[in-house]
Amino acid sequence: QVQLVESGGGSAQPGGSLRLSCAASGSFFGIYSMGWYRQFPGKERELVASMTSRGKTEYLDSVKSRFTISRDNAKSTALLQMNDLAVEDTAVYYCHAVIQAVVDGIGGGGYEYDVWGQGTQVTVSS
């Protein structure tokens, strides 16, 4: 029901910049957190950066000084600004969101679930 649409991937030279965007669409109450993971061939996905609806951020140590995540809660979007790119940043990047929903009916509570984007390739080479 909820989909994450990614854009902005592509190629860049070392030291260059790219901007990834992610937009959530569908029916939901809110989004607790949005962020980006990346995956190298043969490796597990790792968190690159995330931000909660309250503005709390988390970054992979190797990107803290170079990448910046931002969110527009009203538009249900997240942006990852990647500066000073290195060859080691080459990977498939996946948008991720923790969706907040509510149970129908009086007295219904809330719950959360994960949604993933399809992934977008980022390639850094000279």
Side-chain angles (χ1 to χ4, degrees):
Q1 297 187 52
V2 179
Q3 292 183 313
L4 302 178
V5 180
E6 304 152 333
S7 63
S11 61
Q13 294 182 324
S17 298
L18 287 173
R19 182 183 295 113
L20 303 182
S21 65
C22 177
S25 63
S27 180
F28 52 87
F29 176 76
I31 304 176
Y32 172 71
S33 69
M34 293 187 72
W36 292 88
Y37 287 67
R38 68 185 181 187
Q39 187 169 21
F40 305 113
K43 303 290 186 178
E44 297 294 320
R45 290 184 189 181
E46 62 181 7
L47 176 67
V48 178
S50 66
M51 178 180 285
T52 71
S53 60
R54 302 291 181 90
K56 180 182 179 181
T57 59
E58 183 174 345
Y59 289 94
L60 182 67
D61 285 344
S62 62
V63 309
K64 283 183 177 179
S65 63
R66 301 181 294 120
F67 294 4
T68 302
I69 189 168
S70 60
R71 283 183 62 179
D72 186 333
N73 293 333
K75 296 181 179 179
S76 299
T77 59
L79 184 72
L80 183 68
Q81 179 66 46
M82 303 185 293
N83 296 325
D84 194 22
L85 285 164
V87 174
E88 292 77 14
D89 296 316
T90 297
V92 177
Y93 285 69
Y94 296 87
C95 184
H96 170 261
V98 178
I99 303 298
Q100 297 172 307
V102 295
V103 178
D104 291 338
I106 188 170
Y111 63 96
E112 300 176 343
Y113 62 94
D114 295 336
V115 178
W116 292 91
Q118 293 297 309
T120 184
Q121 178 71 45
V122 170
T123 301
V124 184
S125 65
S126 59

